[in-house]
Amino acid sequence: MGVDRSVICIGEGLIDFYCTEPDIHLTEGRKFEKQAGGAPANVCAAIAKLGGRASFCGKAGNDPFGQFLKKTLDDAGADTSMLVFDPDHKTTLAFVSLQKNGERDFLFNRGADGFLTERDINEEKWNQASIHHFGSATALLEEPLRSMYLDLMGKAKGGGKFISFDPNYRQDLWKGRETLFINLVQEALKHADFIKMSGEELALISGEESIQAGLDALHKSCSGLIAVTLGSAGTVVSNRKERAAVSSIKVKSVDSTGAGDAFVGAFLYQLAHGGNPREAASDMAAVKRMTAFSNLAGAAVCTKIGAIAAMPSIETVRKLGFVNHAALI
């Protein structure tokens, strides 16, 4: 039997309602367009659109929005057999307004994603996948999902799976509870083989202002590979032995939603289709090549509206790299 090259992405799937009026606050917006999203669903779609095998594990409402989420993931080529429809809770919704610089304002209406239980998870499929991605803006918010999420991460790690983690910090969701968020993330970092975070997340979680000091602080307890994404400035990748900065390209950003998820998806796609994921993640030369490709995937997403809808094909990423003379797989 060959090595399983699939990735399972667990966490929230939701519907983003984008305000179609440019540079306007949510309080003033009147016109909205729906797009399927949610950090782990975005990562799942990114892997699938690049040609990889990815399954989404989560819960949505048994309603038109849940069906739209499933259709969108199906159309992207993802496996939705682990998407559970909840008859009692509606699909989670997020309302988003975009500013001129591509940044966003969020308003969450939490629903079915918070009610995923271990009983909902297909154990056979869960055990088959070689890489498990835990990346969610909502999974750590409340019990009982919080404990289940961390418990699953520990079990997967104990079972020899390669664990990917993205903390996906949202200030509005954790206002007044930042210390709790930091403690929960630090617990998750102990299990993770690959961690993606933004510069802002690194500063918050490590308590250090500089990237170098922040990485040094995290590596005291975290042995995994850490990728700190810095937008058009590129990405810093670090393990306990080596560290490198990998440049990106500048694009005209119209919406940064999903850029970090595209980076993660592209990185996991490469890990899944290489040799041993842990060996690849410990080889800094390979990590730099994978990061260059992933940077391009993230940049490509910024040029379009939406998250899943904007995830690029491998041809798009390669073309973007060729035009900009970037290193590619």
Side-chain angles (χ1 to χ4, degrees):
M1 181 180 292
V3 177
D4 189 286
R5 302 296 185 186
S6 63
V7 181
I8 288 180
C9 305
I10 181 171
E12 83 273 4
L14 52 80
I15 303 300
D16 289 310
F17 280 88
Y18 289 91
C19 183
T20 58
E21 300 160 277
D23 198 28
I24 196 170
H25 195 273
L26 281 176
T27 56
E28 300 171 344
R30 294 178 179 273
K31 299 177 182 179
F32 293 84
E33 174 184 306
K34 76 176 189 293
Q35 296 276 356
N42 293 342
V43 172
C44 185
I47 296 168
K49 281 196 170 184
L50 288 169
R53 292 173 53 208
S55 300
F56 174 68
C57 179
K59 182 172 277 191
N62 188 18
D63 55 34
F65 294 136
Q67 295 296 333
F68 177 70
L69 172 64
K70 173 177 167 48
K71 183 180 185 305
T72 304
L73 287 169
D74 286 339
D75 290 347
D79 171 26
T80 57
S81 62
M82 298 180 75
L83 170 59
V84 178
F85 291 108
D86 190 325
D88 301 316
H89 302 92
K90 302 299 183 185
T91 301
T92 297
L93 307 178
F95 294 85
V96 187
S97 65
L98 305 177
Q99 309 305 307
K100 286 182 179 178
N101 61 1
E103 291 305 312
R104 311 149 290 174
D105 286 330
F106 280 101
L107 177 64
F108 276 87
N109 187 351
R110 188 80 184 275
D113 82 275
F115 295 90
L116 182 71
T117 69
E118 197 163 352
R119 294 189 302 274
D120 294 318
I121 297 174
N122 184 313
E123 186 175 356
E124 182 179 359
K125 279 184 170 291
W126 180 263
N127 291 332
Q128 283 176 350
S130 57
I131 298 176
H132 290 182
H133 173 64
F134 294 78
S136 174
T138 66
L140 298 178
L141 282 174
E142 300 164 347
E143 295 289 4
L145 179 59
R146 175 194 298 160
S147 293
M148 187 208 77
Y149 206 73
L150 292 172
D151 186 53
L152 276 177
M153 190 180 293
K155 287 180 179 178
K157 178 73 170 184
K161 305 299 183 182
F162 185 93
I163 306 300
S164 167
F165 176 62
D166 183 347
N168 283 300
Y169 177 68
R170 296 290 181 265
Q171 183 177 6
D172 288 344
L173 296 179
W174 290 97
K175 192 172 295 183
R177 300 195 301 158
E178 290 85 358
T179 300
L180 174 60
F181 173 81
I182 293 168
N183 291 338
L184 291 168
V185 168
Q186 289 176 341
E187 181 65 27
L189 293 178
K190 296 175 184 178
H191 303 303
D193 299 292
F194 170 67
I195 303 101
K196 178 268 171 191
M197 59 179 64
S198 66
E200 293 80 3
E201 288 167 337
L202 175 64
L204 174 68
I205 296 163
S206 69
E208 300 288 348
E209 292 186 6
S210 76
I211 291 175
Q212 300 301 329
L215 288 169
D216 289 340
L218 292 191
H219 279 310
K220 291 178 181 179
S221 59
C222 173
S223 60
L225 173 69
I226 303 174
V228 183
T229 53
L230 305 168
S232 62
T235 301
V236 175
V237 285
S238 175
N239 56 35
R240 282 177 166 170
K241 295 180 180 180
E242 298 178 84
R243 195 166 293 174
V246 181
S247 63
S248 186
I249 60 172
K250 292 185 182 295
V251 295
K252 184 178 180 180
S253 178
V254 297
D255 179 14
S256 60
T257 303
D261 300 326
F263 177 94
V264 174
F267 205 96
L268 296 182
Y269 164 78
Q270 294 170 91
L271 284 176
H273 287 78
N276 184 297
R278 286 191 179 86
E279 291 180 2
S282 65
D283 179 349
M284 191 53 70
V287 166
K288 288 192 286 187
R289 290 194 298 271
M290 292 188 290
T291 301
F293 180 85
S294 302
N295 282 345
L296 290 172
V301 168
C302 293
T303 64
K304 296 181 180 180
I305 296 290
I308 291 178
M311 294 298 168
S313 66
I314 195 165
E315 290 79 13
T316 297
V317 178
R318 284 174 171 162
K319 182 177 180 180
L320 193 60
F322 176 79
V323 170
N324 292 275
H325 307 289
L328 290 178
I329 60 170

